Amino acid sequence: MGDGGWNWNDAWIFVSAVIAERLERDRALHAALPVTGATLADLLAAADFLHHSVPSRDDVEESVRRLSGAGLITVDDDLIEVAPAGEQLWRTRPFSGLSSAVMTLQAQLNRGPVPGDANWVLDEQTYQAALREYRLRLADGR
């Protein structure tokens, strides 16, 4: 854990949420659909893209609780959005490209807000459904 109490997984999940939400926003705007936030499957896809692995249910639950409790993301069922404080953190980070975005964000987190503990539970059934959806997308080439 860093000096501010944030760990690498927190930064990984946060950067994944930013990427997933932006992709979903672009997709919705292009199709003239309402913007609703990123799904859990979107988050898993972005996390896999960043680190070539899918976070475990426990890792997602813990990081989302900490990030949400700190006011950096919001979560409603399995829809995740970057909150205004998270947008500010993302916009003010030192730009380093995606290859080092997680490490850069962990440093930013440790200089910023204190991790919170939102009351959010990711049950195994919901996690497995999101994982299946993500794997179907991979198989379909999406």
Side-chain angles (χ1 to χ4, degrees):
M1 233 178 255
D3 294 338
W6 295 97
N7 60 49
W8 189 90
N9 282 344
D10 298 329
W12 178 32
I13 297 302
F14 179 78
V15 173
S16 299
V18 169
I19 292 169
E21 184 190 50
R22 280 173 169 64
L23 288 172
E24 184 54 35
R25 185 183 312 148
D26 289 349
R27 193 176 3 229
L29 292 173
H30 183 62
L33 297 170
V35 178
T36 60
T39 66
L40 187 54
D42 297 329
L43 179 83
L44 297 178
D48 192 17
F49 168 77
L50 278 174
H51 190 55
H52 304 292
S53 68
V54 176
S56 71
R57 186 202 65 78
D58 290 339
D59 287 342
V60 172
E61 181 181 76
E62 179 181 355
S63 291
V64 166
R65 288 175 71 141
R66 293 163 55 84
L67 292 161
S68 180
L72 299 173
I73 64 171
T74 60
V75 62
D76 184 19
D77 291 326
D78 80 334
L79 289 179
I80 298 163
E81 294 182 77
V82 179
E87 286 289 341
Q88 180 69 20
L89 179 73
W90 179 253
R91 277 191 258 112
T92 59
R93 80 195 186 288
F95 185 76
S96 60
L98 278 181
S99 63
S100 59
V102 175
M103 291 176 57
T104 301
L105 244 299
Q106 184 182 1
Q108 284 291 99
L109 285 167
N110 281 315
R111 286 192 297 269
V114 175
D117 188 16
N119 187 20
W120 182 74
V121 176
L122 176 56
D123 63 75
E124 188 65 31
Q125 184 177 6
T126 302
Y127 175 79
Q128 289 299 324
L131 192 55
R132 275 192 305 279
E133 181 181 335
Y134 168 55
R135 288 181 177 152
L136 284 171
R137 291 180 192 175
L138 277 178
D140 289 346
R142 294 185 274 155

